Amino acid sequence: MKKYPNISETIKKKEKHRRRLSKLSFEEKIEMVFKLRERKRFIRSGQVMNTA
C-alpha cells in the first residue's frame, strides 16, 4: 500500500492564512488584487529583475 506524507501541518497553515485574509477590509483585498495583477504582468513580460 502506498504511504502518503502527512500534510496536516500544511492544512493548518492554509486555514490560518485564509482566516487572516477573511478579516481584511474590502479595500485591502482590492489592493491585493491590483498588486497580484501587477506581478502577473511583470512575470509575463519576461523582464529580468536587478537583484544587485
Side-chain angles (χ1 to χ4, degrees):
M1 180 179 274
K2 189 170 183 177
K3 183 163 171 113
Y4 294 99
N6 186 359
I7 60 168
S8 60
E9 190 63 34
T10 304
I11 292 172
K12 286 178 187 176
K13 286 180 184 179
K14 192 172 185 179
E15 182 179 342
K16 184 178 177 183
H17 181 69
R18 285 182 176 175
R19 290 186 190 278
R20 187 178 63 80
L21 289 176
S22 71
K23 292 178 183 178
L24 293 176
S25 69
F26 180 74
E27 290 81 12
E28 291 171 314
K29 290 175 184 176
I30 295 299
E31 186 178 326
M32 285 179 62
V33 169
F34 285 125
K35 286 180 182 179
L36 288 171
R37 283 183 181 169
E38 196 61 37
R39 185 185 301 176
K40 178 181 168 186
R41 271 191 229 120
F42 177 74
I43 291 171
R44 286 195 172 178
S45 73
Q47 293 177 351
V48 178
M49 194 170 135
N50 256 348
T51 58

